[in-house]
Amino acid sequence: MKGIIMIIDGMADRPLKELGDKTPLEAAQTPNMDRMAQLGVNGIMDSIRPGIRPGSDTAHLSILGYDPYQVYTGRGPFEAAGVGVEVMPGDIAFRCNFSTANEEGIITDRRAGRIREGTPELAETLNSMELEEDVEIIFKESTGHRAVLVLRGEGLSDQISDADPKHDGKKPKVVVGLDGSPEADKTARILNKVILKSYEILKDHPVNIKRMENGEPPANITLPRGAGAVPNAEPFNAKYGVKSACIAETGLIQGIALIAGMDIIEVEGATGGVDTDLNSITSSILENASLEYDFLLINIDGADEAGHDGNLKEKVEFIEKVDVVIGKVMELEDVYFILTADHSTPISVMDHTGDPVPLVIKGPDVRVDQVQEFNERAAASGGLSRIRGSDIMNILMDLMNRSTKFGA
Amino acid sequence: MKGIIMIIDGMADRPLKELGDKTPLEAAQTPNMDRMAQLGVNGIMDSIRPGIRPGSDTAHLSILGYDPYQVYTGRGPFEAAGVGVEVMPGDIAFRCNFSTANEEGIITDRRAGRIREGTPELAETLNSMELEEDVEIIFKESTGHRAVLVLRGEGLSDQISDADPKHDGKKPKVVVGLDGSPEADKTARILNKVILKSYEILKDHPVNIKRMENGEPPANITLPRGAGAVPNAEPFNAKYGVKSACIAETGLIQGIALIAGMDIIEVEGATGGVDTDLNSITSSILENASLEYDFLLINIDGADEAGHDGNLKEKVEFIEKVDVVIGKVMELEDVYFILTADHSTPISVMDHTGDPVPLVIKGPDVRVDQVQEFNERAAASGGLSRIRGSDIMNILMDLMNRSTKFGA
């Protein structure tokens, strides 16, 4: 028996006047999701707690059985893992910008003209910097002007301030320790050196010389922010006694799966947008579900993007496209298949909200209820009633007869 | 967008044979509450946890987002705040009686003949007592023979025993420290002095001389009980980023709002009983909802009183009167309006029980469900399913788009 959790990021919503007080999910034609509701047990789910507005990261942590209030130390560690840095517990990770500084050290463009090319070379050069500190420096480019920085070594802390001045026309802020500990003071000292050194070794970098020749602002300094210590998360496979993999489109979700120790399956054509290649994602799901994995976490991101954009038409259309994926995944046998969202991203709010999301579990032995449609309101009268993200893995492992009894 | 939580104290109940197995709320004619159920999203709510019998104080704390197991140190601090003492974190507060002692120091009447007049003068005199201790003494009269005492100073503790012997014919108990700490021993010593001193300075007080002339027992001693340290509750307005006010009839609820740092709006004619002036309360709600406040907490107490009295007719009639208030508050625009109770006060029990209470949220973007009536059983099939008091503020702030996202 296998387990699949498919999370349609930000799919849930609030009623909209222009849909006759229906939600996009209620308005969309979703025959496969509705059939799944008819064949399964339904409920509503709060990823964290009722009313709490989750990020996709904290919601996924909770759904995977990790307490985000314990494990979530900031976005840095998950971003770093997501772009492929093999982070280790205790590492201090940061999100960075490649930025432009002038000769007086003033930041003239926090995004270095939204640089798109050459950042791998810049990151590689930064990795060679000599600081005379007992710490390993790992830079890695992300998309555009974004990058991550990981500090690895003894006696570090994430209790430090940000360097990023947040506005152009200012110097980078001096990083300081926030809790008076020697670890924080050391980390702050190192980070100040890193920033200074980054300017020294990037200002005449071939990538930047070429940019200046083209009249583009050079990416000659890095501005780290959002220090977070990589948490010591119990490996997912050990926690649940499964072999697991993650199919996700965004680095953030991949990063969470990586920190949980899951295998990451890259899918060609997956963009994280409404233009993503859902056929390619479907093939990957069907293929990997029949491989050695007991458990697949799947995240499809386009509905969230449409929600953030406030694009109702795209959200409805994307949900209808995802419905086709569901129809194919439903045909897998000997699987407990959970379909849900990580949070609502209402068109009217254009950001995540704390409204509960619908959830359905289809599988051989569930107590099928009377719910006929898959959506926010229909699910509320289902047999699961109202559960939390942190309940899901326990329920799934129990259905899969993989959990141990607590007591006699 | 504004938020209103209206708590009809003790409104919920259990089915009664004499109502054909309906509850008072089910039997009452409540067209406005029912319309609110039709226009809103419904559920049942446990103020603290399922089956836990809440006080009105602990229930309100929980509904306002404070953990009563952390914050509730006893009734003293909330009573003291409720009668207008500006309590501060660390103060030790007590409920007191004005009592009658004879010359041998024996309490002959714990309620001093249920004294109704002159207690402000007695309290004022007590406030002038000299103890030769580094502590400030604040007495304040409450209703009838009741008063509060607040001790303010360094090194005090609420871990002390009661002075009140609980029965006439006994001497006041010697107060002792309960945990062996120097703070508790000091507080006990001070309290014993306060009791002794109260007799010295009250026995010949003009109020008492007059009482004795009239053949009434003198209020010549005070008996403190229920020591509680004033908790350091995070101010409500800072916690939620709102400007808030409370319209409540009883000192206990006002005290909770005061300790939470909310503004208190006094309403003329509010008695806390079934005879209260609901028109006056309604006017105050409508007026203050259109002022600068983002959030109003409203408590109407009569249904609880009828429940404690076991008076079914009065409870049903009072609920029907409150229904008119609801109808007017419902007409406010741009408001998320939550209607609920803090606990059940069943006619058959004549005290609070842990049964869940119905709750409905009306407002622009809620997922309206199929519930047609507002009562204990109809609400249970609503779209909110079963939530807790501690969820309410999170849900409300999320609907009002005032909460911050946890994660990315």
Side-chain angles (χ1 to χ4, degrees):
Chain A
M1 196 59 58
K2 305 205 171 198
I4 294 177
I5 299 180
M6 186 180 295
I7 295 173
I8 313 304
D9 209 296
M11 173 169 56
D13 210 299
R14 292 177 177 174
L16 288 165
K17 287 214 173 54
E18 55 266 51
L19 294 177
D21 283 323
K22 288 185 175 178
T23 67
L25 180 57
E26 288 171 341
Q29 298 297 314
T30 54
N32 293 304
M33 294 190 199
D34 294 345
R35 192 157 52 91
M36 190 156 160
Q38 291 157 20
L39 296 171
V41 60
N42 299 266
I44 52 176
M45 188 269 289
D46 301 286
S47 297
I48 297 175
R49 287 206 293 261
I52 300 295
R53 286 179 62 201
S56 287
D57 40 17
T58 52
H60 278 73
L61 281 169
S62 189
I63 289 168
L64 292 175
Y66 299 98
D67 179 355
Y69 292 103
Q70 297 289 326
V71 171
Y72 188 72
T73 53
R75 195 160 160 180
F78 302 99
E79 288 268 341
V83 298
V85 180
E86 292 197 3
V87 294
M88 292 163 57
D91 288 353
I92 309 296
F94 306 78
R95 305 164 71 199
C96 297
N97 276 8
F98 285 111
S99 307
T100 307
N102 66 16
E103 284 176 8
E104 286 80 47
I106 290 168
I107 303 302
T108 55
D109 186 342
R110 283 182 63 252
R111 299 187 181 89
R114 292 190 179 271
I115 183 172
R116 295 186 77 90
E117 286 175 7
T119 54
E121 292 84 347
L122 296 175
E124 204 184 324
T125 302
L126 286 170
N127 282 332
S128 67
M129 72 168 61
E130 294 287 345
L131 287 182
E132 295 173 8
E133 297 273 3
D134 58 340
V135 69
E136 190 181 347
I137 305 284
I138 306 165
F139 273 98
K140 173 92 178 164
E141 73 285 357
S142 177
T143 53
H145 58 280
R146 299 177 197 88
V148 299
L149 163 64
V150 172
L151 302 184
R152 179 171 297 162
E154 296 295 310
L156 299 174
S157 163
D158 61 3
Q159 295 303 300
I160 59 167
S161 64
D162 283 347
D164 188 339
K166 291 279 174 189
H167 297 284
D168 292 345
K170 298 187 175 182
K171 290 193 175 188
K173 291 189 185 171
V174 175
V175 180
V176 295
L178 297 177
D179 62 2
S181 69
E183 290 81 5
D185 291 346
K186 175 182 172 179
T187 313
R189 180 185 72 222
I190 291 171
L191 214 61
N192 287 321
K193 283 192 190 180
V194 165
I195 295 161
L196 210 64
K197 202 83 178 179
S198 74
Y199 181 73
E200 283 175 29
I201 62 181
L202 291 184
K203 67 178 164 40
D204 300 322
H205 192 283
V207 167
N208 283 328
I209 287 169
K210 196 174 156 205
R211 286 181 68 79
M212 287 185 284
E213 284 170 4
N214 293 339
E216 294 168 324
N220 59 10
I221 196 166
T222 62
L223 295 177
R225 66 179 187 277
V230 175
N232 195 355
E234 186 186 354
F236 186 85
N237 289 357
K239 190 172 161 83
Y240 297 110
V242 294
K243 186 151 169 41
S244 65
C246 171
I247 299 173
E249 303 188 90
T250 61
L252 193 64
I253 305 302
Q254 289 180 336
I256 283 163
L258 269 164
I259 284 181
M262 301 169 77
D263 287 353
I264 305 296
I265 295 160
E266 295 284 354
V267 176
E268 210 165 330
T271 66
V274 295
D275 62 346
T276 197
D277 187 343
L278 288 172
N279 287 330
S280 175
I281 292 173
T282 306
S283 303
S284 176
I285 297 168
L286 297 179
E287 181 184 333
N288 284 287
S290 58
L291 294 180
E292 77 269 41
Y293 294 111
D294 304 307
F295 174 80
L296 289 182
L297 172 70
I298 300 153
N299 178 286
I300 297 179
D301 202 46
D304 182 57
E305 191 181 82
H308 280 286
D309 291 344
N311 193 325
L312 172 57
K313 184 165 172 287
E314 277 193 349
K315 187 165 184 180
V316 171
E317 284 175 2
F318 190 75
I319 291 171
E320 291 180 344
K321 283 184 198 158
V322 167
D323 188 68
V324 180
V325 183
I326 306 298
K328 290 179 182 155
V329 178
M330 277 175 69
E331 288 172 14
L332 289 168
E333 286 178 9
D334 297 328
V335 169
Y336 281 98
F337 177 22
I338 297 181
L339 171 64
T340 188
D342 50 350
H343 51 74
S344 302
T345 309
I347 292 290
S348 58
V349 180
M350 296 171 69
D351 201 350
H352 307 181
T353 65
D355 304 272
V357 300
L359 180 143
V360 57
I361 312 177
K362 177 186 168 296
D365 282 343
V366 300
R367 297 175 184 160
V368 176
D369 59 32
Q370 82 300 340
V371 174
Q372 297 293 308
E373 294 173 10
F374 183 75
N375 59 53
E376 297 87 347
R377 279 183 274 213
S381 64
L384 290 172
S385 187
R386 185 168 190 156
I387 63 171
R388 295 193 182 184
S390 56
D391 297 324
I392 293 178
M393 282 304 302
N394 293 333
I395 291 172
L396 179 61
M397 290 299 113
D398 179 56
L399 285 167
M400 291 166 71
N401 295 325
R402 279 174 174 270
S403 50
T404 51
K405 186 161 59 176
F406 172 43
Chain B
M1 196 59 61
K2 306 203 172 201
I4 294 177
I5 300 180
M6 187 181 294
I7 296 173
I8 313 304
D9 209 298
M11 173 167 59
D13 210 299
R14 293 176 175 172
L16 289 164
K17 285 212 173 55
E18 54 266 50
L19 294 177
D21 283 322
K22 288 186 176 178
T23 67
L25 179 56
E26 287 171 341
Q29 297 297 314
T30 54
N32 293 303
M33 295 190 199
D34 293 345
R35 191 157 53 91
M36 189 156 160
Q38 292 157 21
L39 296 173
V41 59
N42 299 264
I44 53 176
M45 188 271 288
D46 302 285
S47 299
I48 298 175
R49 287 206 293 263
I52 300 295
R53 288 178 61 200
S56 286
D57 40 17
T58 52
H60 278 73
L61 281 170
S62 190
I63 289 168
L64 292 176
Y66 299 97
D67 179 353
Y69 293 104
Q70 297 290 328
V71 171
Y72 190 71
T73 54
R75 195 159 160 180
F78 302 99
E79 289 267 340
V83 298
V85 181
E86 292 196 2
V87 295
M88 291 163 58
D91 288 353
I92 309 296
F94 304 78
R95 305 165 70 201
C96 296
N97 277 9
F98 285 111
S99 307
T100 308
N102 66 18
E103 284 176 9
E104 285 80 47
I106 290 169
I107 304 300
T108 56
D109 186 340
R110 281 182 64 252
R111 298 187 180 88
R114 293 189 176 271
I115 182 171
R116 296 186 77 91
E117 286 175 9
T119 54
E121 292 83 348
L122 296 175
E124 201 183 326
T125 301
L126 286 169
N127 281 332
S128 67
M129 72 169 60
E130 295 287 344
L131 287 182
E132 294 172 9
E133 298 273 3
D134 59 339
V135 69
E136 190 181 345
I137 305 285
I138 307 164
F139 274 98
K140 173 91 175 168
E141 72 285 356
S142 177
T143 54
H145 58 281
R146 299 178 196 87
V148 299
L149 163 64
V150 172
L151 302 184
R152 178 171 297 162
E154 295 296 310
L156 300 175
S157 163
D158 60 1
Q159 295 303 301
I160 58 167
S161 63
D162 283 345
D164 188 339
K166 290 280 174 190
H167 296 284
D168 292 346
K170 297 186 173 179
K171 287 191 178 188
K173 290 189 184 171
V174 176
V175 179
V176 294
L178 295 176
D179 62 3
S181 69
E183 290 81 6
D185 291 347
K186 174 182 172 179
T187 314
R189 181 185 72 223
I190 291 171
L191 213 63
N192 287 320
K193 282 191 191 179
V194 165
I195 295 162
L196 210 64
K197 202 82 178 182
S198 75
Y199 181 73
E200 281 175 30
I201 62 181
L202 292 185
K203 68 179 167 37
D204 300 321
H205 192 284
V207 167
N208 282 326
I209 288 170
K210 195 175 158 204
R211 285 182 68 80
M212 288 186 284
E213 285 169 2
N214 293 339
E216 294 169 323
N220 59 11
I221 195 166
T222 62
L223 295 177
R225 65 180 188 277
V230 175
N232 196 353
E234 186 185 355
F236 186 85
N237 288 358
K239 190 173 161 80
Y240 296 109
V242 294
K243 184 152 170 44
S244 65
C246 170
I247 299 173
E249 302 187 273
T250 62
L252 192 63
I253 304 303
Q254 289 180 337
I256 283 163
L258 270 164
I259 284 179
M262 302 169 77
D263 287 354
I264 305 297
I265 295 160
E266 297 285 353
V267 177
E268 210 165 328
T271 65
V274 295
D275 62 347
T276 196
D277 186 343
L278 289 171
N279 286 331
S280 176
I281 291 173
T282 306
S283 302
S284 176
I285 296 168
L286 297 180
E287 182 185 334
N288 285 286
S290 57
L291 292 181
E292 79 267 41
Y293 295 111
D294 305 306
F295 175 80
L296 290 181
L297 171 71
I298 300 154
N299 178 284
I300 297 179
D301 201 48
D304 182 58
E305 190 182 85
H308 280 288
D309 291 345
N311 193 327
L312 171 57
K313 183 165 172 288
E314 277 193 350
K315 188 166 185 181
V316 171
E317 285 176 1
F318 189 74
I319 290 170
E320 293 181 344
K321 282 184 200 162
V322 167
D323 188 66
V324 179
V325 183
I326 306 298
K328 290 178 183 156
V329 178
M330 278 176 69
E331 288 172 14
L332 289 169
E333 286 179 8
D334 297 328
V335 169
Y336 281 98
F337 177 22
I338 297 180
L339 172 64
T340 187
D342 51 349
H343 52 73
S344 304
T345 309
I347 292 293
S348 59
V349 179
M350 295 170 70
D351 201 350
H352 306 182
T353 65
D355 304 273
V357 300
L359 181 143
V360 58
I361 311 177
K362 176 185 170 294
D365 281 343
V366 300
R367 296 173 182 163
V368 176
D369 59 31
Q370 82 298 341
V371 174
Q372 297 294 307
E373 293 174 11
F374 183 76
N375 58 54
E376 297 88 345
R377 280 181 275 211
S381 63
L384 291 171
S385 186
R386 185 169 190 157
I387 61 171
R388 295 193 181 183
S390 55
D391 297 324
I392 292 178
M393 282 305 302
N394 291 333
I395 292 173
L396 179 61
M397 289 300 112
D398 179 58
L399 285 168
M400 290 167 71
N401 294 326
R402 278 174 176 269
S403 49
T404 51
K405 189 161 57 173
F406 172 39

